[in-house]
Amino acid sequence: MGTPSDEKQLHGELDLRQVTKQFGDAIAVNSFTQHFPAGQYVCLLGPSGCGKSTTLRMIAGHESLSSGDIQLDGRSISHLRPAQRGTAMMFQSYALFPHLSVLENVAFSLKMRGVDVAVRNRKALELLELVHMDGFVERMPDQLSGGQQQRVALARALITEPSVLLLDEPLSALDPFLRIRMRAELSRLQRELGMTFIHVTHSQDEAMALSDRVVLMNNSVIEQAGTPEEIFNAPQTSFVAKFMGGHNIVEVDGRAYALRTDRTRLSTDSGGVTAQVSNVEFLGRSVDISLDCSGVELVASMSDGDYNRDRIRTGDNLYVHWMREDLYELSDTSAAV
């Protein structure tokens, strides 16, 4: 397929306007409103049951809307069948046909549309080359590793040339090493194709590594949306700070603040919050020091070099302090200490 033209890159502008999904009395998604410019890599992030997968399924047309509207490139797609929307979905299970070869799996949707065998096979081969699977065209799905099956599923989703590719937890079935490799592959593909990717995940690291924009959901609503840097460095609520990790929540002058753990400082000098070291966790390039501050736990992260110099031990009594400029005020008041 190669790199798309500038005109192709303009496709994939997605608008969700007050999108709501209700199952009986239960609200799965509540007034989801968000604009996604064409060509972005977007991650819908959040804990299980927050509504992110339901949102993806509504975009795909696999779930109806209770209210609201979804527009793609300026036209409403809310009442269209999945095949008419200009979207394609890659499912978590990959859902490859076990009785078809790799080539046949990728070409299948074009076969259903009546495309000539030579044309559909040529397009399938182009996509298999794009995902580095052109050497496996005759293999059956059970002869492939998990990562290889994922590449085939990606090629199959892309062959219809969608404006938006929807990915439902695409890396969750892979082992940690392969997951990191496939993150890089997804990022490469999205850049080369210039296509809008909407990717559902519960992994903070995955969302931070891949996305241009993160939409963090909680209890059926959007808790915060922004770039990965904005979400991590400027959390708006205690939920965001806690869910993204790497933050403590502290109270200063009756206000709740997020404080990054790597900017939480320790010393033997008085003047800060008294604490006792409850655990030391070596993480390779860094060390997390868990601290008991009169029954409230904080964490201080330090480099392995600083840890090796200071040699903090479990049971040590220390003082916790921070710089005022390292605090980010939260909109709620559920402070920890």
Side-chain angles (χ1 to χ4, degrees):
M1 290 178 71
T3 302
S5 66
D6 291 338
E7 181 180 354
K8 179 71 173 177
Q9 292 181 17
L10 294 175
H11 295 172
E13 185 176 15
L14 194 64
D15 272 294
L16 281 75
R17 302 177 179 179
Q18 298 294 315
V19 170
T20 296
K21 180 62 182 180
Q22 193 163 347
F23 297 98
D25 294 332
I27 297 177
V29 178
N30 191 5
S31 298
F32 187 110
T33 297
Q34 199 73 198
H35 171 73
F36 303 121
Q40 282 197 341
Y41 202 125
V42 178
C43 281
L44 303 183
L45 174 66
S48 297
C50 70
K52 58 189 185 295
S53 290
T54 301
T55 301
L56 195 76
R57 290 176 59 81
M58 286 191 288
I59 298 170
H62 299 305
E63 198 69 69
S64 63
L65 280 67
S66 298
S67 62
D69 190 32
I70 298 173
Q71 295 196 357
L72 178 57
D73 294 326
R75 68 175 186 132
S76 176
I77 61 171
S78 300
H79 302 291
L80 298 179
R81 296 194 304 271
Q84 298 174 314
R85 294 192 170 208
T87 64
M89 190 161 181
M90 179 180 156
F91 295 95
Q92 184 176 355
S93 64
Y94 309 147
L96 299 177
F97 298 115
H99 61 289
L100 298 182
S101 70
V102 164
L103 183 67
E104 291 168 333
N105 261 284
V106 176
F108 183 78
S109 61
L110 296 187
K111 180 181 179 181
M112 292 296 98
R113 295 182 181 186
V115 176
D116 178 77
V117 63
V119 174
R120 67 179 186 251
N121 284 349
R122 176 177 56 79
K123 288 189 175 182
L125 283 169
E126 288 176 358
L127 282 163
L128 286 168
E129 183 177 357
L130 183 68
V131 298
H132 303 153
M133 285 296 291
D134 47 312
F136 299 82
V137 292
E138 298 302 325
R139 291 202 187 181
M140 307 301 283
D142 63 1
Q143 296 174 309
L144 303 175
S145 68
Q148 290 168 338
Q149 289 183 36
Q150 187 201 55
R151 292 169 191 263
V152 175
L154 269 171
R156 188 179 63 179
L158 292 169
I159 201 167
T160 58
E161 299 184 357
S163 296
V164 178
L165 181 64
L166 308 169
L167 304 104
D168 187 13
E169 300 272 8
L171 306 179
S172 61
L174 305 178
D175 65 67
F177 176 75
L178 186 55
R179 194 177 303 143
I180 292 172
R181 285 185 56 194
M182 291 309 300
R183 275 193 339 216
E185 282 297 302
L186 285 173
S187 182
R188 175 187 68 85
L189 275 171
Q190 193 272 335
R191 289 195 309 270
E192 289 186 12
L193 294 169
M195 185 183 295
T196 305
F197 278 27
I198 311 291
H199 175 137
V200 161
T201 181
H202 61 269
S203 167
Q204 299 91 335
D205 290 343
E206 202 170 291
M208 297 279 284
L210 282 168
S211 59
D212 300 306
R213 186 170 185 80
V214 176
V215 179
L216 178 54
M217 298 184 68
N218 181 37
N219 291 331
S220 309
V221 300
I222 297 173
E223 188 85 11
Q224 187 173 343
T227 66
E229 293 84 0
E230 289 169 343
I231 297 290
F232 187 80
N233 290 323
Q236 294 175 355
T237 67
S238 58
F239 171 82
V240 175
K242 291 174 182 177
F243 187 83
M244 294 306 297
H247 290 84
N248 295 304
I249 299 175
V250 300
E251 184 177 318
V252 178
D253 299 330
R255 297 180 180 272
Y257 289 87
L259 171 67
R260 283 173 44 164
T261 58
D262 60 340
R263 294 175 185 171
T264 302
R265 295 167 169 82
L266 301 177
S267 73
T268 55
D269 300 328
S270 62
V273 177
T274 59
Q276 185 175 66
V277 177
S278 58
N279 191 46
V280 176
E281 188 174 15
F282 178 70
L283 301 173
R285 288 175 293 183
S286 64
V287 180
D288 278 359
I289 310 297
S290 295
L291 304 153
D292 182 354
C293 304
S294 301
V296 175
E297 186 174 282
L298 298 181
V299 175
S301 301
M302 58 176 56
S303 70
D304 60 333
D306 288 344
Y307 171 74
N308 288 331
R309 183 193 66 228
D310 296 338
R311 278 296 169 184
I312 295 170
R313 303 293 186 188
T314 300
D316 286 355
N317 293 306
L318 299 170
Y319 293 91
V320 182
H321 58 100
W322 50 78
M323 304 293 288
R324 185 79 185 214
E325 58 265 30
D326 290 333
L327 298 174
Y328 192 85
E329 187 172 356
L330 302 173
S331 64
D332 50 13
T333 58
S334 54
V337 63

